């Protein structure tokens, strides 16, 4: 009765060993399959992340472009409104405008300007305020003739807007001029003098340069001094001498170009155009 039990026991043991051989093999294959599945998951995740990164980059780029356009649009609009406001008030009216020049601004003289681009014809009306962003222009127009320039780099600025009677200047506040025009009346073969008073208000040493577009051989115009410099509070009186000859008669008109810039950074400058008229009467 004991032999069948003895015969059965080894069979069960062999079966147990066979089964034991299968389960370890199956267990050893699980880590390899898991690694493949993990790599697949990581690959899909990277593709998804890359897609959303590119998409988010496009979104942020669009948001940045829209923000730049909004800042430029607000800047030209506020400057144009203030220019027309002081122009309507008359000579000496002054205002301040806070603007932002975006980082994408093109500062080339024909791209971002006040009045008219550098390449414009002499007779072109200087009534535009333009900021170029890439290949797009953001522009506002004024009733007032304009003179001035933007700061040379992006950032936030306060610009002074001043009525000089016949035009409005826009730019950094570096120089004050008492008087918006110069006129003189004289007979033939006479000399007549007129004066302009300047005050430097820049926070650093500034250089002032005065040139004339006077194109008449007679009467003649001389300017002294035509160059001076100083710090905040420096005053200067400039004398203009008109001299006629025996053949002159009528009204002669032109402009003075006044440029002031910081000695330490010449790109920070303010410009003015001052009308000049000489009348020579016969008799």
């Amino acid at each position: 009765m004991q032999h069948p039990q003895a015969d059965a026991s080894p069979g069960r043991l062999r079966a147990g060993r066979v089964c034991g051989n299968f389960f370890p093999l199956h267990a050893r294959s699980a880590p390899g399959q898991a690694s493949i599945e993990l790599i697949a998951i990581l690959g899909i995740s990277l593709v998804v992340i890359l897609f959303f990164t590119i998409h988010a980059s496009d979104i942020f780029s669009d948001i940045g472009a829209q923000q730049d356009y909004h800042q430029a649009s607000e800047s030209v609009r506020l400057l144009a409104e203030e220019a027309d406001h002081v122009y309507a008030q008359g000579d000496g009216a002054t205002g301040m405008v806070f603007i932002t020049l975006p980082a994408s601004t093109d500062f080339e003289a024909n791209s971002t300007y006040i009045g008219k681009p550098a390449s414009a014809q002499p007779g072109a009306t200087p009534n535009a305020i333009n900021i170029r962003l890439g290949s797009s222009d953001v522009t506002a127009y004024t009733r007032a003739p304009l003179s001035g320039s933007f700061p040379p780099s992006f950032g936030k600025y306060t610009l002074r807007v001043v009525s000089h009677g016949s035009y409005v200047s826009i730019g950094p506040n570096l120089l004050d001029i008492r008087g918006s025009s110069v006129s003189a009346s004289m007979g033939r073969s006479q000399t007549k003098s007129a004066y302009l008073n300047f005050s430097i208000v820049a926070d650093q040493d500034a250089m002032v340069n005065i040139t004339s577009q006077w194109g008449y051989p007679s009467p003649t115009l001389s300017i002294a001094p035509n160059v001076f410099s100083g710090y905040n509070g420096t005053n200067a009186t400039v004398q203009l001498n008109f001299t006629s000859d025996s053949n002159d008669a009528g009204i002669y008109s032109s402009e003075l170009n006044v440029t002031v810039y910081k000695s330490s950074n010449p790109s920070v400058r303010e410009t003015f155009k001052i009308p000049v008229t000489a009348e020579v009467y016969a008799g």
Side-chain angles (χ1 to χ4, degrees):
M1 296 297 297
Q2 294 177 355
H3 290 291
Q5 292 176 357
D7 293 338
S9 178
R12 287 197 296 272
L13 290 175
R14 284 194 296 272
R17 284 196 296 271
V18 170
C19 292
N21 288 336
F22 276 111
F23 286 117
L25 286 174
H26 179 70
R28 284 195 297 271
S29 68
Q33 182 178 354
S35 297
I36 294 173
E37 292 174 352
L38 179 60
I39 291 172
I41 292 172
L42 289 175
I44 294 172
S45 300
L46 289 173
V47 170
V48 172
I49 292 171
L50 180 62
F51 171 79
F52 281 107
T53 299
I54 295 173
H55 186 60
S57 177
D58 291 340
I59 292 175
F60 287 132
S61 178
D62 289 342
I63 292 174
Q66 291 174 5
Q67 183 180 18
D68 283 1
Y69 179 84
H70 175 73
Q71 291 173 342
S73 179
E74 280 294 289
S75 295
V76 299
R77 180 185 67 82
L78 292 172
L79 286 172
E81 289 179 354
E82 189 62 24
D84 281 338
H85 177 67
V86 299
Y87 185 62
Q89 289 183 312
D91 185 16
T94 302
M96 296 290 184
V97 176
F98 182 78
I99 70 165
T100 299
L101 294 175
S104 59
T105 300
D106 179 355
F107 288 95
E108 200 273 328
N110 287 306
S111 301
T112 297
Y113 55 85
I114 293 172
K116 58 185 178 182
S119 61
Q121 295 297 318
T125 303
N127 68 335
I129 302 173
N130 192 82
I131 297 175
R132 181 169 295 175
L133 304 176
S135 59
S136 300
D137 289 319
V138 183
T139 311
Y141 295 94
T142 63
R143 295 188 301 275
L146 302 174
S147 173
S149 61
F150 283 108
S153 60
F154 70 90
K156 299 181 184 297
Y157 298 93
T158 300
L159 299 187
R160 185 175 66 161
V161 184
V162 182
S163 171
H164 300 273
S166 60
Y167 73 99
V168 172
S169 66
I170 300 175
N173 187 14
L174 304 177
L175 182 72
D176 284 338
I177 304 176
R178 288 183 288 280
S180 59
S181 63
V182 176
S183 61
S185 296
M186 71 198 82
R188 288 175 171 173
S189 301
Q190 291 185 353
T191 296
K192 186 74 172 182
S193 297
Y195 300 90
L196 283 170
N197 294 309
F198 297 84
S199 294
I200 295 176
V201 295
D203 57 356
Q204 299 177 16
D205 184 54
M207 179 72 69
V208 180
N209 184 37
I210 305 171
T211 60
S212 170
Q213 295 182 352
W214 194 263
Y216 307 103
S218 184
T220 61
L221 170 62
S222 63
I223 305 168
N226 61 354
V227 176
F228 60 91
S229 63
Y231 288 89
N232 189 344
T234 298
N235 298 315
T237 298
V238 174
Q239 181 175 337
L240 293 85
N241 293 321
F242 301 87
T243 302
S244 62
D245 66 19
S246 59
N247 297 316
D248 294 333
I251 297 176
Y252 304 83
S253 299
S254 186
E255 289 181 330
L256 295 180
N257 295 321
V258 180
T259 303
V260 54
Y261 56 88
K262 289 186 176 182
S263 300
S264 61
N265 186 1
S267 61
V268 178
R269 58 180 55 207
E270 187 175 16
T271 60
F272 302 87
K273 291 185 180 295
I274 302 176
V276 178
T277 302
E279 181 180 6
V280 180
Y281 51 86

